[in-house]
Amino acid sequence: NGTIYSKRFIMPGNEHYFSFGVGMVHFVSVSTDEDIDPSSTQGVWLDRTLAKINKQRNLWPWVVVFQHRPIYNSNKNHGNWSGSNNYTYDGYDWELPTYEGWPDDYEALILKHKVDLVLTGHVHHYERTWPVKNRDEVTKSYENVTSPVHITCGHGGKDLYAVVWDSDGRNTYRPHQPAFSAARDNMNWGHCELEFIDERTVRHTMFRMGESEVPTEDVLITKAAGGGGAAKVGFSLGLLMGCFIFWSRFGLI
């Protein structure tokens, strides 16, 4: 249940949700296993935290939220996080608690405060969305982006979700890719990286395990002009994911 991990790696704040700045990026961690509606402790905290960050967007032009479960996911195992995700696996019915505010109240907050990227795990595959909001409002371009881009980097090592649980081998992807989904992969392990080049440009790369040093995915995302200069920042999503995937559900990814 992740007890050993949680005792050795201490997160900031209450360890459930917290924020910190690195160079030109402000990272915000939220817990997908708690309420996030406007009356909840986490919902009030997130609204206030993002508002405070926005007052200093000249220092942190990029705002990145990271969390365990994705609200945009085209893999049939788990599906989109809606606060309740009961399912049958290995013949056992998993009945999980219901958490209020997912996804609608949460998405309203990240849109209100102009969050740029949402990083997730949980689902054992890779998926990158187009800029998207309110499920169906999709912009199929990464230039002058005004809506969040969601990246699921859940293909780092555990069994991949290529086959629907307790099925006769059906693929977890439906034949028609949803409009919000720009790229996805449920057959290959790998890792993701982000390089924040300047206040308007971030480079996202995804590397398949063991193939080459050339990334399989290499995407430049730019957003509207604004913000001040800051130091260039680069990091691996795999390292960041280690800070919240194991914490968020104590290793149940």
Side-chain angles (χ1 to χ4, degrees):
N1 64 6
T3 300
I4 294 175
Y5 184 94
S6 66
K7 295 298 183 182
R8 283 168 169 75
F9 296 93
I10 307 302
M11 299 295 105
N14 67 3
E15 299 191 77
H16 291 210
Y17 39 89
F18 49 87
S19 74
F20 56 91
V22 179
M24 74 177 90
V25 188
H26 206 103
F27 295 98
V28 181
S29 170
V30 297
S31 170
T32 51
D33 292 276
E34 297 185 41
D35 295 338
I36 203 164
D37 60 286
S39 65
S40 67
T41 302
Q42 181 175 214
V44 171
W45 174 87
L46 181 59
D47 192 14
R48 291 176 177 174
T49 297
L50 291 175
K52 185 177 180 180
I53 294 169
N54 271 332
K55 292 179 180 179
Q56 302 181 78
R57 287 299 275 261
N58 62 315
L59 297 178
W60 299 304
W62 291 95
V63 177
V64 177
V65 172
F66 62 99
Q67 63 199 55
H68 185 59
R69 305 171 188 268
I71 65 169
Y72 285 94
N73 165 45
S74 66
N75 191 298
K76 292 187 70 174
N77 288 351
H78 290 312
N80 302 298
W81 180 234
S82 61
S84 178
N85 198 0
N86 299 332
Y87 52 89
T88 300
Y89 179 61
D90 281 347
Y92 180 80
D93 292 329
W94 292 77
E95 295 184 5
L96 304 178
T98 297
Y99 300 105
E100 301 297 327
W102 298 96
D104 294 342
D105 292 330
Y106 165 71
E107 186 170 30
L109 283 179
I110 65 174
L111 293 175
K112 170 185 174 182
H113 294 292
K114 303 185 185 305
V115 168
D116 299 299
L117 299 173
V118 178
L119 311 180
T120 67
H122 188 54
V123 185
H124 300 181
H125 79 149
Y126 164 79
E127 187 158 26
R128 166 175 46 83
T129 74
W130 293 108
V132 59
K133 61 181 179 180
N134 303 321
R135 190 61 49 192
D136 299 319
E137 297 179 47
V138 178
T139 303
K140 294 191 174 183
S141 170
Y142 290 115
E143 296 183 3
N144 296 314
V145 169
T146 58
S147 300
V149 174
H150 298 247
I151 301 172
T152 297
C153 186
H155 60 325
K158 289 204 72 175
D159 293 343
L160 296 169
Y161 290 169
V163 176
V164 176
W165 294 324
D166 293 343
S167 77
D168 55 359
R170 286 179 291 121
N171 196 296
T172 51
Y173 292 156
R174 293 181 175 90
H176 299 291
Q177 192 163 343
F180 67 75
S181 180
R184 58 186 183 173
D185 186 347
N186 64 359
M187 297 297 294
N188 297 279
W189 286 287
H191 79 277
C192 305
E193 296 181 4
L194 291 174
E195 179 185 7
F196 293 88
I197 297 170
D198 57 38
E199 64 269 20
R200 290 193 58 203
T201 310
V202 60
R203 180 190 181 200
H204 162 62
T205 51
M206 188 275 281
F207 297 81
R208 286 180 180 168
M209 186 179 296
E211 288 199 353
S212 72
E213 296 182 0
V214 178
T216 304
E217 300 281 334
D218 194 339
V219 178
L220 280 180
I221 302 171
T222 64
K223 60 179 186 172
K232 184 175 178 180
V233 178
F235 67 96
S236 166
L237 268 66
L239 295 177
L240 179 60
M241 292 295 177
C243 294
F244 76 99
I245 288 179
F246 287 96
W247 159 80
S248 185
R249 284 293 290 177
F250 300 115
L252 300 180
I253 63 172

